[in-house]
Amino acid sequence: MGFLLEQFEKSGVNKPLLVRPNCISRSELIDRANLKAKTHKEKYMRVNSAHVEDFPADFLAAEMLSIPLILGDGKLEDKLGEVNFFTSGTEGNPKLVSKTWKQIFSSVKESESLRGNLWFTAFNPLLFAGLQVFAQAVVSGGSIALSCGDLDKDADFLRQQKNFNINATPSWIRNFIIFSDTSSIEPRRIVLGGEAVDQRLLDNLSKKFPHAKITHIYATSELGACFEVRDGKAGIPVELMQDNCKIEDSRLFVKRNGVWIDTADRVELCDGRLIFKGRAADVANVGGRKVSLQDVEELYWDIDGIKDIVAYPVKNSVCGEIVAIDVVCDKSNIDRIKEKIKDISCNTPDKFSVARIVNFVERIQTSAAGKKKRV
Amino acid sequence: MQSKIDILETELKAVFENNKKVCPPLTDDTPLDSTFGLDSLDWAEFAVRYQKKTGVDIFEDLNLRLKTYSDLKKLAK
């Protein structure tokens, strides 16, 4: 019996594994997998985001056939593993990562308090974070509900649930609390990952969901989960780092199997915590000067009324790039915020590191992985 | 519809205003040297604003040396 099927059987329950988009029990998923395996002709099983209606059945079918499972539409490589998915990579180019189901399930937690929970996930189920949620739901005898892409509908759905956890990127949940009515939504847990979490968001989440345990996880597709933080503070306490981490040129390196891996995350140590300053690629080249886009966002974040903000580089023939920001706020506040941004920019001595272009938008775009897009 | 010259003037003034600088009178003879008041980052901002409105990178083909405001207007025609 394959590892994945064994996990299905082991959980010992027949409640639906998938609740949304469709409600499908474990036994029915196994039946569907058997049917898919009988009719599948290709040498690998590819699943893309357009067809996730019964994605666990595809996972099982691939295992039954002992063929590689390919998640997403990216370009394949010659060498394929058991489970193959695409990640944004360190410099923005999608790359293929291969893992076994055993590796994907290795960081799953088994605990009575998690048994039978509903795992609502805004993570793409075909990317690493989504696969972790899938694995957790399988092992803990729970169910998975996928975000439908409509925040109001997601909110309505969650309002009817009990014993559920929300798993999402900081950008997704920020949009969720800004744009949806989250009253009467009471998650047991909120698990954040995929992006740096700032203290502002953690504080807002604690106020909105006072009974939820909030965890933020630092993980990469290549390394897996590295750190979990539950103390309500941004960054990672240095005590968790031990000898497995080092900082070089402000970049975080993590040791795996004796090898130092460059995470391409920019970090700094502050008050006993490792604070994430953004991806190494998230810089603008302004007249030859590297400017951190996250630092530019930080300049304006505390302006009263700003709900969300993203900085990104804009090319020009004069100095390479300048920094633009898209700002989300109530329309009634735009004029005041515009003036405040102008004040801050004019009073910042380093003119390379301010936003030169300011746009007011309805919402910040996010990628398929739920992360802020810097375009 | 605004002409490119009108857009040029509007966006130039916007750059001054945005950066709390005083825009000098925009006449054909107004020199575009350091007395004009804009630095390279300001010009970059202007280029981006102008391109957003017109789709044209005004500084892409710089065969003309920009001495006066009149020279800039020629790029916009």
Side-chain angles (χ1 to χ4, degrees):
Chain A
M1 186 188 289
F3 178 88
L4 184 60
L5 183 58
E6 192 184 337
Q7 300 308 306
F8 267 60
E9 305 274 354
K10 251 170 70 174
S11 68
V13 296
N14 198 29
K15 71 184 289 178
L17 173 60
L18 197 56
V19 170
R20 197 170 182 245
N22 301 308
C23 192
I24 315 177
S25 70
R26 281 159 166 74
S27 57
E28 194 179 338
L29 282 167
I30 293 171
D31 288 343
R32 288 189 188 200
N34 276 313
L35 198 58
K36 285 178 197 257
K38 277 189 183 130
T39 56
H40 190 78
K41 300 275 186 273
E42 309 286 331
K43 56 185 177 182
Y44 49 76
M45 178 79 72
R46 195 189 286 258
V47 186
N48 60 36
S49 298
H51 298 102
V52 293
E53 56 276 355
D54 59 359
F55 69 92
D58 294 302
F59 292 179
L60 280 169
E63 186 183 64
M64 287 169 181
L65 292 168
S66 299
I67 58 176
L69 177 68
I70 316 291
L71 304 179
D73 289 318
K75 194 174 162 216
L76 296 186
E77 287 167 20
D78 293 333
K79 205 171 165 206
L80 295 171
E82 186 178 16
V83 183
N84 308 273
F85 54 92
F86 295 89
T87 174
S88 57
T90 57
E91 301 295 322
N93 299 315
K95 67 176 197 187
L96 193 68
V97 174
S98 299
K99 293 214 184 280
T100 62
W101 281 120
K102 203 169 175 186
Q103 285 172 318
I104 289 169
F105 275 69
S106 63
S107 54
V108 157
K109 290 172 186 34
E110 298 201 51
S111 148
E112 252 331 287
S113 67
L114 298 176
R115 290 234 28 104
N117 281 199
L118 172 69
W119 299 84
F120 172 86
T121 176
F123 292 128
N124 184 328
L126 307 182
L127 295 178
F128 182 66
L131 290 172
Q132 296 292 281
V133 177
F134 162 74
Q136 183 67 66
V138 167
V139 167
S140 53
S143 307
I144 303 163
L146 301 184
S147 164
C148 71
D150 181 316
L151 293 173
D152 289 332
K153 287 181 182 165
D154 283 342
D156 288 340
F157 170 79
L158 288 173
R159 222 182 315 280
Q160 295 160 41
Q161 310 305 319
K162 290 188 186 332
N163 287 336
F164 68 94
N165 310 303
I166 297 177
N167 303 270
T169 58
S171 289
W172 186 91
I173 207 158
R174 193 179 290 116
N175 280 333
F176 187 59
I177 60 178
I178 291 171
F179 295 106
S180 315
D181 173 9
T182 55
S183 58
S184 306
I185 292 177
E186 296 183 11
R188 294 186 67 191
R189 279 172 205 83
I190 297 173
V191 180
L192 303 173
E195 294 171 307
V197 180
D198 57 80
Q199 192 61 51
R200 195 177 296 107
L201 178 62
L202 289 171
D203 293 343
N204 278 331
L205 288 175
S206 295
K207 284 192 200 124
K208 282 270 181 184
F209 308 109
H211 306 295
K213 289 182 188 168
I214 302 173
T215 302
H216 55 99
I217 296 180
Y218 178 76
T220 75
S221 304
E222 296 91 340
L223 293 165
C226 299
F227 311 105
E228 288 188 21
V229 181
R230 296 188 185 89
D231 61 6
K233 295 183 196 167
I236 300 169
V238 291
E239 304 86 69
L240 286 184
M241 288 172 56
Q242 299 173 334
D243 296 328
N244 293 327
C245 304
K246 65 177 181 179
I247 303 171
E248 268 180 22
D249 293 330
S250 301
R251 284 164 85 115
L252 177 66
F253 287 73
V254 174
K255 198 193 263 184
R256 263 296 181 275
N257 302 322
V259 177
W260 285 106
I261 313 265
D262 180 3
T263 66
D265 281 316
R266 286 173 44 253
V267 294
E268 70 179 31
L269 276 172
C270 183
D271 296 333
R273 296 186 83 86
L274 193 70
I275 305 293
F276 288 85
K277 305 298 286 177
R279 299 287 288 160
D282 289 344
V283 294
N285 190 333
V286 181
R289 281 264 306 269
K290 294 261 176 76
V291 173
S292 156
L293 297 173
Q294 191 163 325
D295 286 350
V296 176
E297 288 166 7
E298 283 296 320
L299 268 183
Y300 309 102
W301 246 127
D302 288 331
I303 295 176
D304 185 34
I306 287 189
K307 294 179 176 181
D308 205 356
I309 186 170
V310 67
Y312 53 95
V314 179
K315 289 197 184 321
N316 65 88
S317 303
V318 179
C319 66
E321 292 176 336
I322 53 174
V323 180
I325 52 173
D326 285 354
V327 177
V328 177
C329 67
D330 288 337
K331 283 194 172 68
S332 59
N333 285 329
I334 286 178
D335 288 341
R336 177 181 58 77
I337 289 175
K338 217 184 254 185
E339 282 307 306
K340 197 73 195 137
I341 289 173
K342 203 192 293 185
D343 285 342
I344 289 172
S345 298
C346 291
N347 291 328
T348 300
D350 181 6
K351 297 298 173 209
F352 288 78
S353 301
V354 300
R356 305 296 303 213
I357 305 287
V358 180
N359 302 307
F360 289 88
V361 299
E362 294 278 325
R363 195 170 294 196
I364 307 290
Q365 284 185 61
T366 52
S367 67
K371 304 180 190 185
K372 261 188 198 176
K373 259 183 176 175
R374 294 186 186 282
V375 288
Chain B
M1 196 164 96
Q2 260 192 319
S3 70
K4 282 191 179 147
I5 303 280
D6 290 335
I7 293 171
L8 185 148
E9 189 174 314
T10 304
E11 296 308 325
L12 210 49
K13 285 179 176 172
V15 172
F16 276 98
E17 206 249 310
N18 228 24
N19 294 282
K20 296 191 179 180
K21 294 180 176 179
V22 176
C23 181
L26 296 177
T27 66
D28 282 357
D29 297 328
T30 304
L32 295 183
D33 57 16
S34 58
T35 61
F36 189 61
L38 296 186
D39 62 24
S40 60
L41 293 176
D42 298 325
W43 281 114
E45 181 184 331
F46 163 72
V48 169
R49 287 173 167 274
Y50 184 82
Q51 183 162 10
K52 195 173 176 185
K53 290 275 172 72
T54 64
V56 173
D57 178 357
I58 196 167
F59 295 125
E60 193 185 29
D61 292 319
L62 204 59
N63 294 317
L64 191 68
R65 178 136 188 269
L66 294 178
K67 286 186 181 173
T68 63
Y69 184 62
S70 161
D71 293 332
L72 191 61
K73 285 200 311 189
K74 281 175 192 160
L75 290 181
K77 281 185 182 153

